[in-house]
Amino acid sequence: MSTSSDQGVSSITVSVEEIDSMMSNHTMRHSLERYVFDKIHQDIRERHWKRISVHGHYQRDGTARLSVFEKQGKRFNWHRPTSRVVDGDTLEINCFPGQAYVKHNAYLIAMYLRLQELQSPSTDGPPLSFSRPVVEYRLPGVEDSALIFAESNLRLMGKVDIVVLGYAEAVLPTTGGDWESGTVDPERQLFAWQKITLPDGKVVSYLGCMISLWGEIVGSLIRVLKELNNASHVVFLGKAGSLRNYSPAGGLLIQPNRILVTGSSSCMEQERLQWSSPFYYDTSREGHGSTELVVGQNVSVFSPLVENAVWFEHWRDKADWVDCEVFHAATACRHVNINFGYLHIISDVLARYEPENLSNERDLLILSHRRSAFDRMKRILDSCLTSPLSGRISPQPRLRDNAHWTDPSHTKHELLASEVPRVGVGVFIIHPTIPKPTSKPSPGSSDETRAWKFLMGQRLGSHGSGTYALPGGHLEFGETFEECAAREVLEETGLRVHDVKFLTATNNVMGEDEGGKHYITVFMTARVTMDPGDSAAANVGEDGLPIARLMEPEKCAGWEWVSWRQYEMWAMAQVRWGKLNHDKHSDGGGDGDGDGSGGNHVEGRLLFSPMVDLLVQRPGVVPELRMIPSR
């Protein structure tokens, strides 16, 4: 990225290297091209330019050329960037003035041109890089969008208590009336609204906007709503991409345009905000429809274009879904003392490829699925606004600012250690073995009263890579041990479990070979759901044991069923080798080629250190089949 100055205004040039890095293993996969192409102004498509400059100017007068791709069939959110020819070689693209929105459009254009370049047949002439257009952008002032809102028809809406933003049109109450704009002047009709009065006298405004409330634009609008309309509560309805295959709790499969999400915290880069959400209530009382409401952690970005494999790997353990607005909306609400909540539709799944994604949102099937999701969103919102038993939107505590949030993966060295212990959950998935008719356990065998096996897999791509461990993962905010165990087992093996119970816990300070981390590991026991009448029940292999699927091949090399006796032998060998290696170093002898984890000298499986610590710290604690009642 390079910068230049044009009459005192700073310009930023988008580099090809940045675009190539973004496109590399992007989570949209082959849908990325369609997503980009559908948003490019026709003037960029129709001819070659030496320079394309993206500005934060809202121009829709006679000097601007509107995009033929504007979705004018929509009542709201259809104004798109316009173009203006500066000279024979330079095209100016003018966006509504939001810094994230301007930057997003500049990168869209640069990516489109790069995709075009890569698809062009090679020639014997000069290198294509010589004729590649320069794409640059100029960030608008932070208050530019607020000034436009202040001069719009928003003042004519009058005083309101609660404002519903975003997909407001989709959740209108059945008793709603006509859309109002307060003026016949088309240049001021940036907004339209419908207002209702709640039984407690509060006025709710369902507010539609012609432009996209992208990034910090929504924050500017919220500040103006406070100043002009004295709003005290804002609900933002939008869409997000899921970083999860399954919900953070309960193991619900995340499917695009069917799942609704909310939460009480959002982060952007190294900043984090937390607030009290109005949407916390028991969703199980709402019945089981085509969508569910899931609570989790949001992360905001300036554009979906940044969401490639590297970005995803960085954020997958820190957030559940991603959007471009929640952090900005929450920040603005905090600054002007407005209470905040959001409901989002999951529009795409970053963790796997889905036919329904950001590239085809206007397809009829997707619109049908969204209609059902909007019905669910409306019921949740109505319940929140009117029912004292379902988390009324008022009163609610002020948005509060967390202590500065340090990104633990900011540097390579910080990745190798954790400043405070984290909580990991490991699950003994216990299943009875079916002995062959001719086999009899030898008298006194330790497996004689333990006719069961449990699941272990070889870790990949993380601390302890190459070692064997139980299914499991990090305990997430708000989860119980049981919820975490069931979720992680489903995410990693595809198995649904029941009778999840606490076994014990260990204190694990790992060596440098496992990242220098400190964990408290909670060990749980569970049984696989095998009810033949349950459609979610597991399939069984020839050995009579449930078949565990490899759901996350980047994290695990494969699953296998092992006996407790096998585990004890592997762990004891690792303990003996670790003691031998320690004694060599203490005596100053040996060549020091071993390590505390056993290295390659341990026979059998090399275990993840918490599995060894379990045997050492909790001797005699053995999960027994009879501990878990059968179903």
Side-chain angles (χ1 to χ4, degrees):
M1 179 181 294
S2 63
T3 62
S4 62
S5 180
D6 180 10
Q7 296 180 352
V9 179
S10 177
S11 295
I12 304 172
T13 301
V14 182
S15 71
V16 176
E17 291 74 20
E18 285 182 278
I19 296 302
D20 286 346
S21 176
M22 283 184 172
M23 292 193 302
S24 177
N25 295 314
H26 198 279
T27 54
M28 289 191 201
R29 299 165 176 85
H30 60 269
S31 297
L32 177 63
E33 181 176 324
R34 179 178 175 183
Y35 172 80
V36 172
F37 278 37
D38 286 351
K39 293 172 171 55
I40 301 302
H41 195 284
Q42 69 272 14
D43 283 349
I44 301 173
R45 296 169 179 255
E46 292 172 358
R47 59 160 291 186
H48 177 80
W49 303 91
K50 288 185 178 180
R51 181 177 300 273
I52 299 175
S53 188
V54 184
H55 296 249
H57 299 155
Y58 187 48
Q59 292 185 338
R60 298 185 66 82
D61 55 18
T63 66
R65 190 177 184 199
L66 305 184
S67 170
V68 297
F69 301 103
E70 287 190 338
K71 303 168 183 176
Q72 297 188 24
K74 299 170 64 177
R75 182 185 296 273
F76 301 112
N77 186 22
W78 59 270
H79 287 188
R80 292 294 179 263
T82 62
S83 71
R84 184 178 72 89
V85 177
V86 177
D87 55 44
D89 295 323
T90 303
L91 181 70
E92 185 176 280
I93 298 295
N94 290 300
C95 309
F96 193 86
Q99 293 188 348
Y101 193 50
V102 167
K103 187 176 178 181
H104 164 70
N105 278 282
Y107 278 77
L108 269 175
I109 294 167
M111 190 171 289
Y112 166 79
L113 295 171
R114 181 58 172 157
L115 287 167
Q116 289 286 81
E117 180 181 0
L118 293 174
Q119 292 172 5
S120 299
S122 59
T123 66
D124 296 329
L128 287 175
S129 59
F130 287 173
S131 60
R132 181 184 300 126
V134 172
V135 179
E136 64 181 16
Y137 61 95
R138 303 178 186 181
L139 293 178
V142 293
E143 295 298 325
D144 287 1
S145 56
L147 292 174
I148 296 176
F149 291 143
E151 294 298 322
S152 72
N153 60 330
L154 202 57
R155 186 186 302 272
L156 303 176
M157 184 171 64
K159 182 184 182 302
V160 294
D161 298 290
I162 303 167
V163 181
V164 179
L165 298 175
Y167 287 124
E169 185 181 15
V171 296
L172 288 171
T174 54
T175 57
D178 296 329
W179 288 98
E180 303 176 46
S181 61
T183 178
V184 295
D185 183 357
E187 293 187 2
R188 297 188 66 194
Q189 290 181 351
L190 193 57
F191 296 94
W193 54 83
Q194 291 192 29
K195 294 193 288 187
I196 65 167
T197 302
L198 299 178
D200 62 1
K202 288 185 170 62
V203 177
V204 182
S205 173
Y206 294 80
L207 185 64
C209 184
M210 292 298 185
I211 57 96
S212 176
L213 298 178
W214 191 286
E216 76 279 3
I217 294 175
V218 69
S220 296
L221 175 58
I222 287 170
R223 292 193 296 272
V224 174
L225 285 169
K226 179 68 173 183
E227 180 181 352
L228 298 184
N229 310 103
N230 200 27
S232 57
H233 303 78
V234 164
V235 178
F236 182 59
L237 311 179
K239 60 188 179 185
S242 176
L243 278 67
R244 302 277 178 185
N245 276 316
Y246 298 91
S247 68
L252 180 70
L253 180 67
I254 299 293
Q255 294 180 287
N257 306 302
R258 296 165 179 81
I259 303 296
L260 299 179
V261 298
T262 189
S264 59
S265 60
S266 178
C267 47
M268 188 170 185
E269 296 178 350
Q270 295 188 31
E271 295 182 82
R272 185 176 184 178
L273 288 173
Q274 190 171 0
W275 62 91
S276 294
S277 171
F279 297 112
Y280 284 146
Y281 64 97
D282 185 3
T283 56
S284 64
R285 291 183 299 191
E286 298 297 311
H288 299 284
S290 59
T291 61
E292 300 287 343
L293 178 62
V294 181
V295 176
Q297 168 71 42
N298 166 268
V299 58
S300 291
V301 295
F302 84 86
S303 170
L305 298 179
V306 306
E307 297 163 8
N308 62 7
V310 174
W311 180 93
F312 177 74
E313 197 62 35
H314 177 83
W315 283 102
R316 65 183 303 171
D317 292 330
K318 303 179 181 70
D320 299 303
W321 39 83
V322 57
D323 84 327
C324 299
E325 292 85 28
V326 164
F327 182 83
H328 298 286
T331 300
C333 284
R334 181 188 58 139
H335 288 163
V336 297
N337 193 23
I338 286 181
N339 298 300
F340 176 67
Y342 76 91
L343 287 173
H344 275 13
I345 290 176
I346 290 296
S347 58
D348 56 320
V349 179
L350 281 63
R352 66 177 187 274
Y353 177 74
E354 282 282 349
E356 297 183 20
N357 52 59
L358 292 178
S359 72
N360 52 10
E361 292 182 288
R362 305 303 295 172
D363 288 2
L364 292 178
L365 180 60
I366 293 179
L367 292 176
S368 173
H369 290 158
R370 283 201 178 176
R371 183 64 263 167
S372 297
F374 284 138
D375 289 343
R376 173 74 169 176
M377 182 182 284
K378 179 180 180 301
R379 290 197 299 272
I380 293 172
L381 181 61
D382 288 349
S383 178
C384 187
L385 290 171
T386 60
S387 173
L389 301 178
S390 299
R392 290 181 61 188
I393 196 168
S394 176
Q396 124 182 357
R398 286 186 58 184
L399 194 71
R400 59 186 184 274
D401 203 0
N402 265 14
H404 180 67
W405 184 55
T406 301
D407 184 352
S409 61
H410 183 62
T411 67
K412 181 178 181 181
H413 296 292
E414 290 174 335
L415 258 178
L416 298 179
S418 48
E419 296 179 357
V420 295
R422 300 190 68 182
V423 179
V425 175
V427 189
F428 283 100
I429 307 174
I430 299 175
H431 197 79
T433 58
I434 303 175
K436 296 179 181 178
T438 58
S439 65
K440 293 182 179 180
S442 58
S445 168
S446 61
D447 275 347
E448 187 174 2
T449 58
R450 302 173 191 163
W452 50 267
K453 290 188 175 183
F454 64 94
L455 206 58
M456 294 186 74
Q458 189 178 29
R459 296 170 63 87
L460 295 176
S462 182
H463 60 284
S465 180
T467 63
Y468 283 75
L470 302 172
H474 294 110
L475 184 70
E476 298 183 350
F477 180 83
E479 275 189 319
T480 65
F481 295 160
E482 292 79 7
E483 288 172 338
C484 178
R487 173 182 59 79
E488 289 286 358
V489 168
L490 185 63
E491 288 180 356
E492 295 183 355
T493 71
L495 297 173
R496 296 186 182 273
V497 294
H498 63 279
D499 294 324
V500 184
K501 298 184 181 300
F502 173 79
L503 176 65
T504 189
T506 58
N507 186 37
N508 316 117
V509 181
M510 304 175 185
E512 290 187 4
D513 55 299
E514 289 186 342
K517 297 177 181 292
H518 185 179
Y519 273 82
I520 303 300
T521 302
V522 176
F523 290 94
M524 308 290 290
T525 59
R527 288 281 293 277
V528 179
T529 299
M530 299 298 295
D531 187 348
D534 189 339
S535 60
N539 294 321
V540 177
E542 294 181 357
D543 56 1
L545 295 168
I547 298 175
R549 291 180 289 165
L550 193 58
M551 304 293 289
E552 299 176 331
E554 73 282 2
K555 290 185 176 182
C556 180
W559 299 105
E560 61 179 294
W561 292 93
V562 301
S563 69
W564 183 264
R565 181 58 177 163
Q566 288 174 305
Y567 155 69
E568 284 182 319
M569 292 173 60
W570 299 336
M572 288 305 299
Q574 204 158 317
V575 169
R576 287 193 298 270
W577 176 252
K579 184 178 185 303
L580 176 62
N581 190 49
H582 178 269
D583 291 343
K584 283 184 179 181
H585 284 287
S586 298
D587 296 339
D591 56 9
D593 61 346
D595 58 35
S597 65
N600 295 323
H601 301 279
V602 179
E603 296 182 0
R605 300 287 187 265
L606 182 62
L607 301 178
F608 190 36
S609 61
M611 297 297 296
V612 180
D613 290 340
L614 173 63
L615 192 70
V616 174
Q617 296 179 18
R618 301 290 182 264
V621 177
V622 180
E624 297 283 357
L625 187 64
R626 61 175 175 267
M627 289 175 56
I628 307 177
S630 60
R631 176 176 290 181

